[in-house]
Amino acid sequence: MVSEHKLKKLKPNNTENPEIDADLVLSIEKLQEIQDEIEKINEKASDEVLEVEKKYNEIRQPVYNKRNGIIQAIPDFWLTAFLSHPALCELVTDEDHKIFKHLTSIEVVDSKDVKSGYSISFNFSPNPYFEDTKLTKTFTFLDEGTTNVTATSIKWKEGMGIPNGVDDEKKGDKRSHVEESFFTWFSETLQSDDDINDDVAEIIKEDLWPNPLTYFNNDADEEDFDGDEDDEEVIEVSDEDDEDGEDDEE
């Protein structure tokens, strides 16, 4: 039902014909009932969409596992995909390249009910940089509207420092300037009443993870394109040579 306060606002100032006022109030009440019905349908649709998504998450998982097995046989697959991505490439420093060479797989996993959040995990082979073999960042959407973000606290090996993820040696009393590492992303955790805009997480989850082959192939596609242009130039020169030859014969 429409509140009395709202109805007063909607009433026209028509004292001469109160029937018009009554008709307006009745129409608004009926309209509100229709809107309430639409809202119930939308809520039901959302619940059913979540159920479908849960079902297909289970179906996709073994396929993702199969894909990971193939990727592990391709040298520097994830490093190449990151460096070929127009946004993620800017976050990976030269020193990060060395760490990414030990990256064996990435996993993006939705919560069981889909709507509660998701996690992103990076799996590594044993390496000289940190003790961990798995780094995970988790986003949990709480009932009260807050978002809780947690991440693995990286256990850097001696001489490999935080936050840069590279040799942390000091020169005198001043630390040498180093670009911020991609791995500082794992230290960015917080809880907020507002929506947390983690662009890196969104790009990995919604863009890179579904089809990393798109970005792994980027460089090769560009090379092929350049090659096609070169071929066209050769053909054009050949055509000009043919015309010159015809002129000589005349």
Side-chain angles (χ1 to χ4, degrees), residues 174-222:
K174 296 181 179 179
R175 189 187 307 275
S176 57
H177 174 73
V178 187
E179 290 181 274
E180 187 175 88
S181 166
F182 167 81
F183 294 93
T184 58
W185 177 63
F186 286 97
S187 66
E188 297 170 356
T189 61
L190 54 95
Q191 183 169 316
S192 172
D193 293 334
D194 301 322
D195 290 336
I196 294 176
N197 184 19
D198 191 312
D199 292 337
V200 175
E202 287 297 315
I203 291 171
I204 293 173
K205 181 178 186 292
E206 303 296 341
D207 191 19
L208 181 68
W209 170 250
N211 189 3
L213 189 59
T214 299
Y215 296 102
F216 180 81
N217 281 336
N218 262 359
D219 288 341
D221 290 344
E222 289 173 3

Side-chain angles (χ1 to χ4, degrees), residues 116-138:
S116 294
Y118 62 93
S119 65
I120 300 175
S121 297
F122 287 62
N123 298 298
F124 294 85
S125 60
N127 63 80
Y129 300 96
F130 40 72
E131 301 290 345
D132 313 89
T133 56
K134 186 173 186 176
L135 304 179
T136 301
K137 191 163 186 177
T138 303

Side-chain angles (χ1 to χ4, degrees), residues 86-142:
L88 295 175
C89 67
E90 297 179 1
L91 307 176
V92 182
T93 68
D94 291 341
E95 289 295 333
D96 289 340
H97 291 192
K98 301 173 185 177
I99 302 177
F100 265 73
K101 284 183 173 293
H102 298 276
L103 178 61
T104 58
S105 65
I106 294 177
E107 299 170 346
V108 176
V109 180
D110 286 314
S111 59
K112 289 186 178 180
D113 65 357
V114 179
K115 63 182 180 180
S116 294
Y118 62 93
S119 65
I120 300 175
S121 297
F122 287 62
N123 298 298
F124 294 85
S125 60
N127 63 80
Y129 300 96
F130 40 72
E131 301 290 345
D132 313 89
T133 56
K134 186 173 186 176
L135 304 179
T136 301
K137 191 163 186 177
T138 303
F139 298 82
T140 304
F141 309 134
L142 306 178

